[in-house]
C-alpha cells in the first residue's frame, strides 16, 4: 500500500535535504516534493502601540531613534511530501525527526 508523509521545515534547504536523504537511504521511497505553506509569512507580535518615551525604564534602555515594528518576519514554512510504501513509513518518520522536522503527519 502507498503512504504519504508530510513534514514541515523552516528552510527550503532543510526540506530538500530531507527528501534527498529519504530517497537515497530508505527503501520503498518512490518520490518526494517540496511545497511552500501559504499565509505563514508574518507573525503579529501583539504590541500595537508605540513605546512610551516618558522617564521610565524603557526610555533609559531603548534609544530615541527606536521604532516599533509590529510584524516580525517569521519566515515561510516548507513542507516535504514523501511518497513511500506503508512498510517504510516508520523509517521515514524517524529520519524526519532526526533532521528536525516539525508537525509530521502520515496518511495511508
Amino acid at each position: 500500500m502507498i503512504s504519504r508523509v508530510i513534514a514541515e521545515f523552516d528552510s527550503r534547504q532543510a526540506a530538500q535535504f530531507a527528501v534527498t536523504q529519504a530517497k537515497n537511504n530508505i527503501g520503498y521511497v518512490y518520490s518526494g516534493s517540496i511545497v511552500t505553506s501559504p499565509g505563514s509569512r508574518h507573525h503579529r507580535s501583539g504590541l500595537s502601540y508605540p513605546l512610551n518615551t516618558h522617564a521610565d525604564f524603557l526610555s533609559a534602555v531603548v534609544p530615541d531613534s527606536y521604532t516599533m515594528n509590529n510584524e516580525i518576519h517569521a519566515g515561510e514554512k516548507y513542507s516535504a511530501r514523501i511518497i513511500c510504501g506503508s512498510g517504510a513509513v516508520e523509517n521515514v518518520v524517524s529520519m524526519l525527526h532526526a533532521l528536525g522536522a516539525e508537525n509530521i503527519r502520515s496518511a495511508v
Side-chain angles (χ1 to χ4, degrees):
M1 183 176 286
I2 303 292
S3 298
R4 179 179 61 187
V5 180
I6 301 171
E8 291 182 357
F9 290 90
D10 289 333
S11 70
R12 183 171 187 81
Q13 292 81 12
Q16 186 64 44
F17 182 71
V19 169
T20 303
Q21 289 296 316
K23 284 182 180 179
N24 294 338
N25 298 324
I26 300 174
Y28 300 105
V29 173
Y30 303 118
S31 67
S33 62
I34 309 297
V35 178
T36 304
S37 300
S40 62
R41 279 183 137 5
H42 296 285
H43 174 71
R44 292 292 273 176
S45 67
L47 298 174
S48 60
Y49 52 88
L51 288 176
N52 184 1
T53 57
H54 296 302
D56 58 3
F57 177 75
L58 285 178
S59 63
V61 176
V62 179
D64 291 336
S65 62
Y66 184 81
T67 57
M68 177 61 82
N69 185 3
N70 293 337
E71 291 187 296
I72 300 170
H73 183 66
E76 293 180 338
K77 292 286 186 180
Y78 296 92
S79 296
R81 295 184 180 185
I82 299 171
I83 307 299
C84 61
S86 59
V89 171
E90 289 182 21
N91 293 336
V92 171
V93 169
S94 176
M95 186 214 52
L96 291 171
H97 275 295
L99 293 176
E102 303 170 350
N103 196 14
I104 300 172
R105 310 176 296 282
S106 64
V108 178

XYZ file of all heavy atoms in Angstrom:
813
model
N 0.842 -1.176 0.000
C 0.000 0.000 0.000
C 0.893 1.247 0.000
O 1.955 1.248 0.602
C -0.892 -0.016 1.242
C -1.846 1.131 1.267
S -2.979 1.071 2.655
C -4.072 -0.218 2.139
N 0.453 2.291 -0.645
C 1.204 3.542 -0.771
C 0.793 4.489 0.354
O -0.391 4.618 0.670
C 0.912 4.212 -2.132
C 1.249 3.262 -3.281
C 1.666 5.521 -2.274
C 2.706 2.983 -3.428
N 1.769 5.162 0.953
C 1.519 6.127 2.026
C 2.193 7.447 1.690
O 3.135 7.506 0.903
C 2.065 5.606 3.351
O 1.420 4.426 3.722
N 1.717 8.506 2.330
C 2.302 9.841 2.162
C 2.678 10.370 3.534
O 1.881 10.330 4.468
C 1.293 10.776 1.498
C 1.829 12.186 1.322
C 0.832 13.066 0.664
N -0.367 13.149 1.504
C -1.485 13.744 1.139
N -1.578 14.281 -0.043
N -2.510 13.779 1.944
N 3.884 10.901 3.666
C 4.363 11.506 4.905
C 4.664 12.965 4.604
O 5.364 13.278 3.639
C 5.620 10.792 5.439
C 6.099 11.450 6.725
C 5.346 9.314 5.664
N 4.124 13.863 5.429
C 4.333 15.306 5.251
C 4.970 15.850 6.519
O 4.522 15.552 7.623
C 2.999 16.033 4.988
C 2.332 15.467 3.732
C 3.222 17.537 4.844
C 0.920 15.968 3.526
N 6.012 16.651 6.360
C 6.697 17.273 7.496
C 7.060 18.704 7.145
O 7.376 19.007 5.996
C 7.951 16.486 7.847
N 7.018 19.582 8.123
C 7.338 20.993 7.901
C 8.759 21.302 8.354
O 9.233 20.785 9.357
C 6.366 21.885 8.667
C 4.968 21.855 8.119
C 4.029 22.782 8.871
O 4.463 23.410 9.856
O 2.870 22.866 8.464
N 9.405 22.187 7.576
C 10.751 22.663 7.891
C 10.766 24.180 7.801
O 9.935 24.784 7.140
C 11.769 22.090 6.898
C 12.009 20.616 7.059
C 11.242 19.704 6.353
C 12.992 20.152 7.900
C 11.456 18.347 6.489
C 13.215 18.801 8.044
C 12.449 17.888 7.340
N 11.767 24.807 8.438
C 11.884 26.260 8.407
C 12.607 26.782 7.175
O 12.490 27.948 6.836
C 12.610 26.756 9.659
C 11.762 26.613 10.903
O 10.528 26.644 10.777
O 12.333 26.483 11.996
N 13.373 25.934 6.517
C 14.101 26.389 5.333
C 13.903 25.407 4.181
O 13.660 24.222 4.392
C 15.598 26.540 5.630
O 16.192 25.273 5.817
N 14.021 25.933 2.989
C 13.878 25.106 1.797
C 15.022 24.093 1.695
O 14.831 22.964 1.270
C 13.833 25.988 0.554
C 13.607 25.207 -0.724
C 13.352 26.146 -1.889
N 12.982 25.418 -3.067
C 11.761 24.957 -3.338
N 10.798 25.166 -2.468
N 11.519 24.301 -4.444
N 16.218 24.501 2.118
C 17.364 23.609 2.050
C 17.179 22.402 2.965
O 17.528 21.280 2.585
C 18.656 24.345 2.434
C 19.094 25.389 1.442
C 18.349 26.711 1.614
O 17.667 26.924 2.617
N 18.476 27.585 0.638
N 16.635 22.610 4.161
C 16.412 21.501 5.089
C 15.365 20.535 4.538
O 15.510 19.318 4.644
C 15.980 22.035 6.449
N 14.317 21.062 3.929
C 13.283 20.209 3.342
C 13.840 19.424 2.154
O 13.560 18.229 2.012
C 12.092 21.052 2.913
N 14.626 20.085 1.317
C 15.227 19.406 0.174
C 16.199 18.324 0.634
O 16.247 17.235 0.059
C 15.946 20.418 -0.726
C 16.474 19.815 -2.005
C 15.351 19.300 -2.891
O 14.347 19.954 -3.064
N 15.525 18.123 -3.449
N 16.965 18.603 1.673
C 17.905 17.616 2.207
C 17.152 16.397 2.745
O 17.578 15.256 2.542
C 18.757 18.252 3.306
C 19.784 17.323 3.883
C 20.895 16.948 3.153
C 19.622 16.814 5.156
C 21.840 16.089 3.683
C 20.555 15.944 5.698
C 21.669 15.587 4.961
N 16.023 16.631 3.420
C 15.230 15.516 3.953
C 14.691 14.636 2.832
O 14.729 13.401 2.936
C 14.085 16.055 4.807
N 14.196 15.240 1.765
C 13.676 14.465 0.637
C 14.808 13.666 -0.008
O 14.648 12.472 -0.317
C 12.992 15.389 -0.398
C 12.688 14.652 -1.681
C 11.710 15.959 0.194
N 15.952 14.284 -0.193
C 17.094 13.599 -0.800
C 17.561 12.436 0.066
O 17.838 11.338 -0.437
C 18.252 14.592 -1.025
O 17.784 15.669 -1.829
C 19.428 13.927 -1.703
N 17.653 12.653 1.377
C 18.078 11.589 2.277
C 17.086 10.432 2.286
O 17.481 9.270 2.335
C 18.260 12.134 3.697
C 19.454 13.042 3.854
C 20.756 12.301 3.597
O 20.968 11.191 4.050
N 21.632 12.930 2.832
N 15.805 10.739 2.244
C 14.791 9.679 2.227
C 14.900 8.857 0.949
O 14.837 7.623 0.986
C 13.395 10.287 2.356
N 15.071 9.527 -0.184
C 15.174 8.808 -1.466
C 16.425 7.931 -1.522
O 16.384 6.821 -2.039
C 15.207 9.798 -2.630
C 13.882 10.408 -2.970
C 14.070 11.334 -4.166
C 12.808 11.993 -4.596
N 13.025 12.903 -5.726
N 17.543 8.434 -1.003
C 18.816 7.725 -1.127
C 19.028 6.643 -0.074
O 19.748 5.685 -0.332
C 19.979 8.716 -1.070
C 20.001 9.639 -2.265
O 19.439 9.325 -3.309
N 20.637 10.777 -2.110
N 18.443 6.782 1.107
C 18.798 5.908 2.214
C 17.695 4.985 2.703
O 17.977 4.099 3.506
C 19.302 6.742 3.399
C 20.561 7.510 3.043
O 21.393 7.022 2.296
N 20.681 8.707 3.565
N 16.468 5.182 2.290
C 15.361 4.365 2.775
C 14.731 3.642 1.591
O 14.426 4.267 0.564
C 14.310 5.226 3.514
C 14.951 5.916 4.720
C 13.126 4.374 3.957
C 14.061 6.887 5.429
N 14.525 2.355 1.746
C 13.904 1.576 0.687
C 12.417 1.866 0.584
O 11.783 2.300 1.549
N 11.869 1.650 -0.589
C 10.451 1.838 -0.888
C 9.987 3.287 -0.784
O 8.821 3.559 -0.535
C 9.572 0.935 -0.014
C 9.870 -0.519 -0.203
C 10.573 -1.225 0.763
C 9.490 -1.186 -1.359
C 10.886 -2.562 0.585
C 9.789 -2.521 -1.543
C 10.488 -3.203 -0.569
O 10.787 -4.523 -0.756
N 10.894 4.235 -0.977
C 10.525 5.641 -1.120
C 10.447 5.915 -2.610
O 11.419 5.754 -3.331
C 11.538 6.578 -0.437
C 11.225 8.032 -0.759
C 11.519 6.363 1.065
N 9.262 6.306 -3.077
C 9.022 6.448 -4.514
C 9.250 7.855 -5.036
O 9.773 8.029 -6.127
C 7.606 5.979 -4.841
C 7.353 4.558 -4.392
C 6.389 4.274 -3.451
C 8.113 3.507 -4.892
C 6.164 2.976 -3.022
C 7.910 2.205 -4.470
C 6.926 1.948 -3.531
O 6.726 0.657 -3.100
N 8.829 8.850 -4.285
C 9.018 10.228 -4.749
C 8.955 11.181 -3.567
O 8.555 10.816 -2.470
C 7.946 10.619 -5.779
O 6.680 10.679 -5.172
N 9.354 12.411 -3.839
C 9.306 13.457 -2.822
C 9.201 14.810 -3.474
O 9.668 15.006 -4.598
N 8.580 15.747 -2.781
C 8.432 17.099 -3.317
C 8.430 18.100 -2.169
O 8.222 17.740 -1.011
C 7.145 17.230 -4.135
O 6.024 16.984 -3.317
N 8.653 19.368 -2.524
C 8.673 20.466 -1.556
C 7.527 21.408 -1.887
O 7.353 21.800 -3.037
C 9.994 21.255 -1.618
C 11.198 20.322 -1.530
C 10.036 22.332 -0.551
C 11.316 19.573 -0.257
N 6.738 21.788 -0.876
C 5.619 22.716 -1.054
C 5.751 23.834 -0.026
O 6.021 23.574 1.146
C 4.270 21.989 -0.880
C 3.114 22.953 -1.014
C 4.140 20.853 -1.871
N 5.567 25.081 -0.455
C 5.599 26.224 0.448
C 4.223 26.436 1.039
O 3.234 26.447 0.318
C 6.032 27.491 -0.300
O 7.279 27.250 -0.923
C 6.147 28.666 0.646
N 4.160 26.595 2.363
C 2.882 26.829 3.036
C 2.469 28.282 2.862
O 3.221 29.182 3.229
C 2.993 26.513 4.530
O 3.358 25.185 4.712
N 1.291 28.554 2.309
C 0.848 29.942 2.144
C 0.374 30.529 3.469
O -0.042 29.810 4.364
C -0.313 29.821 1.159
C -0.847 28.454 1.395
C 0.340 27.607 1.772
N 0.480 31.839 3.583
C -0.067 32.521 4.751
C 0.785 32.434 5.991
O 0.330 32.787 7.066
N 2.031 31.998 5.885
C 2.867 31.915 7.078
C 4.014 32.915 7.025
O 5.040 32.716 7.611
C 3.417 30.492 7.220
O 4.228 30.172 6.114
N 3.809 34.001 6.308
C 4.886 34.957 6.126
C 5.164 35.812 7.363
O 6.304 36.081 7.689
C 4.575 35.882 4.967
C 4.868 35.297 3.615
C 4.569 36.349 2.588
N 5.386 36.614 1.480
C 6.455 36.030 1.022
N 6.949 35.052 1.639
N 7.061 36.409 -0.053
N 4.148 36.295 8.041
C 4.358 37.218 9.154
C 3.647 36.726 10.406
O 2.642 36.031 10.332
C 3.828 38.613 8.805
C 4.567 39.247 7.676
N 5.818 39.780 7.813
C 4.244 39.411 6.376
C 6.230 40.254 6.659
N 5.282 40.042 5.759
N 4.197 37.120 11.521
C 3.628 36.776 12.814
C 3.403 38.065 13.580
O 4.318 38.866 13.737
C 4.606 35.871 13.578
C 4.187 35.584 14.967
N 3.122 34.770 15.244
C 4.677 36.001 16.146
C 2.984 34.703 16.556
N 3.908 35.435 17.115
N 2.174 38.289 14.052
C 1.863 39.504 14.801
C 2.434 39.400 16.195
O 2.292 38.403 16.871
C 0.349 39.709 14.907
C -0.323 40.021 13.603
C 0.049 41.332 13.053
N -0.778 42.399 13.550
C -0.574 43.660 13.245
N 0.399 43.994 12.462
N -1.352 44.586 13.723
N 3.083 40.444 16.658
C 3.695 40.412 17.980
C 2.703 40.749 19.082
O 2.969 40.509 20.234
C 4.866 41.397 18.035
O 4.373 42.721 17.930
N 1.570 41.334 18.755
C 0.580 41.688 19.764
C 0.781 43.078 20.343
O -0.066 43.579 21.062
N 1.886 43.734 20.042
C 2.135 45.087 20.530
C 1.733 46.064 19.439
O 2.423 46.225 18.455
C 3.612 45.270 20.878
C 4.142 44.371 21.987
C 5.651 44.545 22.124
C 3.454 44.691 23.290
N 0.603 46.733 19.636
C 0.117 47.622 18.591
C 0.243 49.088 18.990
O -0.323 49.954 18.362
C -1.343 47.299 18.274
O -2.125 47.461 19.434
N 0.965 49.390 20.044
C 1.117 50.756 20.499
C 2.586 51.146 20.447
O 3.465 50.298 20.579
C 0.587 50.917 21.926
C 1.156 49.912 22.894
C 2.344 50.160 23.563
C 0.520 48.703 23.129
C 2.877 49.239 24.439
C 1.044 47.780 24.000
C 2.236 48.052 24.653
O 2.759 47.129 25.516
N 2.884 52.440 20.252
C 4.284 52.859 20.238
C 4.873 52.807 21.644
O 4.146 52.770 22.636
C 4.217 54.285 19.712
C 2.851 54.739 20.047
C 1.970 53.523 19.973
N 6.178 52.820 21.714
C 6.835 52.799 23.019
C 6.561 54.086 23.789
O 6.508 55.171 23.222
C 8.341 52.632 22.844
C 8.818 51.264 22.402
C 10.324 51.296 22.176
C 8.478 50.228 23.444
N 6.398 53.963 25.070
C 6.232 55.110 25.940
C 7.610 55.692 26.205
O 8.465 55.042 26.795
C 5.554 54.657 27.248
C 5.258 55.819 28.160
O 5.542 56.955 27.827
N 4.699 55.519 29.312
N 7.835 56.930 25.798
C 9.169 57.528 25.950
C 9.259 58.451 27.148
O 10.137 59.299 27.218
C 9.548 58.288 24.673
O 8.545 59.270 24.401
C 9.692 57.342 23.501
N 8.348 58.315 28.105
C 8.458 59.094 29.340
C 9.644 58.596 30.151
O 10.269 57.593 29.818
C 7.171 58.980 30.158
C 5.984 59.580 29.463
N 5.924 60.886 29.055
C 4.818 59.023 29.073
C 4.778 61.124 28.463
N 4.081 59.998 28.453
N 9.959 59.250 31.204
C 11.109 58.880 32.033
C 10.801 57.583 32.779
O 10.298 57.595 33.893
C 11.443 60.000 33.000
N 11.069 56.494 32.151
C 10.879 55.192 32.778
C 12.020 54.277 32.355
O 12.975 54.693 31.713
C 9.520 54.586 32.434
C 9.306 54.411 30.947
O 10.233 54.715 30.189
O 8.215 53.974 30.562
N 11.919 53.018 32.696
C 12.990 52.068 32.398
C 13.232 51.933 30.903
O 14.376 51.899 30.464
C 12.648 50.708 33.008
C 13.656 49.650 32.680
C 14.893 49.632 33.317
C 13.399 48.688 31.726
C 15.832 48.675 33.009
C 14.332 47.721 31.420
C 15.550 47.722 32.067
N 12.165 51.859 30.085
C 12.342 51.678 28.646
C 13.070 52.843 27.996
O 13.899 52.642 27.115
C 10.996 51.456 27.962
C 10.366 50.085 28.161
C 9.018 50.018 27.479
C 11.278 49.000 27.616
N 12.786 54.063 28.426
C 13.459 55.202 27.812
C 14.930 55.248 28.218
O 15.748 55.814 27.506
C 12.762 56.505 28.175
O 12.823 56.714 29.572
N 15.270 54.656 29.337
C 16.671 54.604 29.733
C 17.434 53.543 28.948
O 18.632 53.675 28.729
C 16.778 54.312 31.226
N 16.746 52.500 28.512
C 17.399 51.387 27.826
C 17.289 51.498 26.308
O 18.242 51.235 25.589
C 16.785 50.038 28.295
C 17.360 48.874 27.527
C 17.012 49.866 29.775
N 16.116 51.902 25.799
C 15.855 51.940 24.366
C 16.227 53.315 23.819
O 15.810 54.330 24.365
C 14.359 51.641 24.082
C 14.070 51.709 22.599
C 13.991 50.284 24.640
N 17.013 53.381 22.733
C 17.376 54.686 22.170
C 16.166 55.406 21.582
O 15.163 54.796 21.238
C 18.393 54.337 21.084
C 18.186 52.907 20.793
C 17.618 52.281 22.023
N 16.276 56.737 21.465
C 15.175 57.556 20.956
C 14.828 57.223 19.506
O 13.688 57.379 19.091
C 15.520 59.046 21.049
C 15.564 59.517 22.489
O 14.912 58.881 23.340
O 16.266 60.509 22.754
N 15.776 56.766 18.728
C 15.518 56.503 17.321
C 14.835 55.150 17.091
O 14.526 54.810 15.967
C 16.835 56.534 16.542
O 17.686 55.509 17.023
N 14.581 54.400 18.135
C 13.965 53.080 18.001
C 12.497 53.224 17.625
O 11.763 53.985 18.229
C 14.088 52.303 19.304
C 13.565 50.900 19.226
C 14.335 49.890 18.683
C 12.300 50.571 19.690
C 13.879 48.592 18.600
C 11.824 49.273 19.617
C 12.617 48.291 19.071
O 12.153 47.015 19.003
N 12.074 52.488 16.620
C 10.661 52.472 16.238
C 10.155 51.043 16.360
O 10.869 50.087 16.036
C 10.459 52.957 14.790
O 11.233 52.152 13.928
C 10.851 54.422 14.649
N 8.930 50.896 16.779
C 8.345 49.572 16.983
C 7.830 49.027 15.663
O 7.086 49.695 14.960
C 7.195 49.653 17.992
C 6.472 48.341 18.204
S 7.514 47.042 18.828
C 7.517 47.445 20.551
N 8.252 47.840 15.313
C 7.747 47.141 14.139
C 6.817 46.049 14.646
O 7.247 45.124 15.309
C 8.896 46.550 13.326
C 8.423 45.927 12.040
O 7.247 45.979 11.722
N 9.344 45.345 11.297
N 5.520 46.175 14.345
C 4.535 45.252 14.892
C 4.551 43.887 14.249
O 4.034 42.936 14.793
C 3.131 45.842 14.780
C 2.979 47.051 15.663
O 3.714 47.203 16.626
N 2.044 47.915 15.332
N 5.109 43.767 13.058
C 5.145 42.479 12.382
C 6.565 41.948 12.381
O 7.486 42.600 11.911
C 4.621 42.598 10.959
C 3.138 42.869 10.894
C 2.633 42.807 9.476
O 3.062 43.644 8.694
O 1.830 41.921 9.184
N 6.733 40.769 12.911
C 8.031 40.116 12.950
C 8.043 39.075 11.836
O 7.141 38.250 11.754
C 8.265 39.453 14.312
C 8.225 40.513 15.407
C 9.589 38.700 14.323
C 8.205 39.947 16.790
N 9.050 39.130 11.006
C 9.128 38.172 9.901
C 9.494 36.808 10.472
O 10.584 36.593 10.958
C 10.149 38.622 8.878
C 10.226 37.733 7.685
N 9.178 37.604 6.805
C 11.191 36.905 7.237
C 9.509 36.754 5.864
N 10.724 36.306 6.106
N 8.546 35.881 10.418
C 8.763 34.555 10.980
C 9.273 33.573 9.942
O 9.703 32.489 10.281
C 7.459 34.032 11.588
N 9.247 33.926 8.692
C 9.713 33.027 7.645
C 8.622 32.093 7.171
O 7.640 31.857 7.857
N 8.812 31.586 5.998
C 7.845 30.653 5.440
C 8.145 29.252 5.932
O 9.262 28.931 6.308
C 7.906 30.681 3.924
C 7.444 31.975 3.334
C 7.517 31.960 1.820
O 8.274 31.170 1.264
O 6.801 32.762 1.225
N 7.127 28.426 5.927
C 7.291 27.009 6.246
C 7.321 26.232 4.944
O 6.567 26.515 4.019
C 6.131 26.507 7.115
C 6.103 27.072 8.501
C 7.178 26.444 9.331
C 7.055 26.913 10.763
N 8.063 26.343 11.607
N 8.185 25.255 4.877
C 8.302 24.406 3.701
C 7.929 22.981 4.099
O 8.432 22.459 5.089
C 9.728 24.446 3.150
C 10.118 25.820 2.668
C 10.757 26.717 3.504
C 9.811 26.229 1.383
C 11.093 27.983 3.071
C 10.147 27.494 0.935
C 10.790 28.363 1.782
O 11.111 29.614 1.356
N 7.039 22.392 3.338
C 6.594 21.029 3.624
C 7.277 20.063 2.676
O 7.272 20.256 1.467
C 5.076 20.905 3.456
O 4.420 21.713 4.387
N 7.866 19.022 3.257
C 8.439 17.933 2.477
C 7.389 16.838 2.404
O 6.926 16.355 3.429
C 9.707 17.419 3.136
N 6.977 16.478 1.186
C 5.986 15.424 0.985
C 6.695 14.221 0.379
O 7.225 14.302 -0.718
C 4.877 15.897 0.072
C 4.084 17.018 0.692
C 2.925 17.424 -0.154
N 2.218 18.509 0.505
C 1.100 19.019 0.069
N 0.560 18.568 -1.041
N 0.524 19.996 0.722
N 6.670 13.115 1.113
C 7.374 11.911 0.698
C 6.358 10.804 0.474
O 5.560 10.499 1.361
C 8.418 11.511 1.756
C 9.441 12.639 1.912
C 9.089 10.195 1.378
C 10.386 12.457 3.056
N 6.376 10.213 -0.707
C 5.505 9.090 -1.062
C 6.332 7.809 -0.915
O 7.404 7.686 -1.513
C 4.981 9.216 -2.509
C 4.332 10.585 -2.743
C 4.024 8.078 -2.840
C 3.140 10.871 -1.879
N 5.824 6.879 -0.104
C 6.580 5.661 0.160
C 5.624 4.493 0.386
O 4.414 4.672 0.476
C 7.485 5.839 1.381
S 6.593 6.201 2.904
N 6.199 3.305 0.492
C 5.417 2.130 0.829
C 5.046 2.171 2.306
O 5.740 2.786 3.128
N 3.947 1.532 2.675
C 3.480 1.605 4.060
C 4.468 0.975 5.040
O 4.500 1.342 6.208
C 2.110 0.947 4.198
O 2.189 -0.411 3.793
N 5.318 0.065 4.562
C 6.331 -0.528 5.432
C 7.479 0.408 5.742
O 8.234 0.186 6.688
N 7.644 1.473 4.979
C 8.749 2.415 5.163
C 8.345 3.659 5.945
O 9.194 4.502 6.218
C 9.301 2.824 3.810
N 7.078 3.769 6.330
C 6.605 4.985 6.998
C 7.353 5.231 8.301
O 7.783 6.353 8.583
C 5.075 4.929 7.235
C 4.614 6.069 8.123
C 4.339 4.968 5.914
N 7.537 4.204 9.106
C 8.229 4.379 10.387
C 9.662 4.844 10.185
O 10.152 5.699 10.934
C 8.201 3.081 11.182
C 6.839 2.729 11.716
C 6.864 1.460 12.544
O 7.949 1.082 13.039
O 5.797 0.854 12.705
N 10.342 4.308 9.187
C 11.718 4.736 8.911
C 11.772 6.178 8.429
O 12.658 6.936 8.809
C 12.358 3.816 7.870
C 12.572 2.421 8.392
O 12.677 2.201 9.594
N 12.623 1.465 7.482
N 10.818 6.572 7.597
C 10.770 7.942 7.093
C 10.484 8.918 8.238
O 11.156 9.942 8.376
C 9.723 8.085 5.962
C 9.514 9.546 5.595
C 10.144 7.291 4.738
N 9.510 8.591 9.084
C 9.171 9.464 10.212
C 10.354 9.587 11.164
O 10.674 10.676 11.652
C 7.906 8.948 10.934
C 7.694 9.676 12.248
C 6.688 9.098 10.041
N 11.033 8.488 11.434
C 12.202 8.510 12.307
C 13.300 9.396 11.732
O 13.927 10.179 12.457
C 12.717 7.089 12.504
O 13.887 7.081 13.265
N 13.555 9.300 10.431
C 14.560 10.123 9.788
C 14.176 11.599 9.828
O 15.015 12.456 10.081
C 14.773 9.679 8.339
C 15.913 10.411 7.663
S 15.677 10.715 5.922
C 14.123 11.489 5.837
N 12.889 11.905 9.611
C 12.432 13.297 9.643
C 12.586 13.887 11.041
O 12.972 15.050 11.189
C 10.980 13.380 9.172
C 10.759 13.091 7.683
C 9.278 12.994 7.378
C 11.430 14.136 6.819
N 12.294 13.111 12.072
C 12.519 13.577 13.446
C 13.991 13.897 13.662
O 14.331 14.917 14.275
C 12.067 12.527 14.456
C 10.617 12.578 14.780
N 10.030 13.642 15.415
C 9.634 11.674 14.558
C 8.745 13.411 15.565
N 8.472 12.215 15.042
N 14.862 13.039 13.176
C 16.299 13.236 13.346
C 16.798 14.480 12.624
O 17.765 15.117 13.061
C 17.063 12.015 12.853
N 16.136 14.862 11.536
C 16.545 16.046 10.775
C 15.868 17.330 11.256
O 16.040 18.381 10.651
C 16.245 15.825 9.283
C 17.084 14.739 8.609
C 16.636 14.533 7.173
C 18.567 15.081 8.678
N 15.068 17.257 12.318
C 14.473 18.462 12.905
C 13.156 18.886 12.294
O 12.822 20.076 12.355
N 12.408 17.969 11.750
C 11.116 18.311 11.136
C 10.099 18.634 12.211
O 10.174 18.148 13.343
C 10.618 17.168 10.274
N 9.127 19.451 11.847
C 8.023 19.818 12.730
C 6.720 19.323 12.115
O 6.599 19.225 10.905
C 7.942 21.326 12.891
C 9.213 21.958 13.410
C 9.160 23.471 13.324
O 8.236 24.020 12.701
O 10.074 24.110 13.870
N 5.750 19.038 12.950
C 4.388 18.718 12.502
C 4.384 17.601 11.451
O 3.910 17.781 10.335
C 3.715 19.985 11.958
C 2.229 19.823 11.847
O 1.643 18.886 12.400
N 1.582 20.727 11.116
N 4.894 16.452 11.836
C 4.973 15.313 10.917
C 3.626 14.587 10.902
O 3.096 14.234 11.941
C 6.096 14.358 11.350
C 7.433 15.090 11.339
C 6.142 13.139 10.427
C 8.556 14.292 11.925
N 3.093 14.376 9.683
C 1.821 13.690 9.522
C 1.983 12.602 8.460
O 2.727 12.777 7.517
C 0.737 14.663 9.060
C 0.649 15.912 9.869
C -0.371 16.916 9.338
N -0.151 17.495 8.032
C 0.691 18.471 7.757
N 1.472 18.944 8.688
N 0.771 18.966 6.541
N 1.243 11.518 8.635
C 1.272 10.474 7.607
C -0.144 10.055 7.283
O -1.023 10.046 8.149
C 2.103 9.280 8.063
O 1.508 8.681 9.184
N -0.367 9.713 6.021
C -1.675 9.268 5.560
C -1.483 8.007 4.735
O -0.572 7.918 3.915
C -2.356 10.330 4.709
N -2.328 7.017 4.993
C -2.232 5.753 4.277
C -3.170 5.783 3.085
O -4.225 6.307 3.114
C -2.596 4.587 5.202
C -2.541 3.279 4.455
C -1.641 4.567 6.384
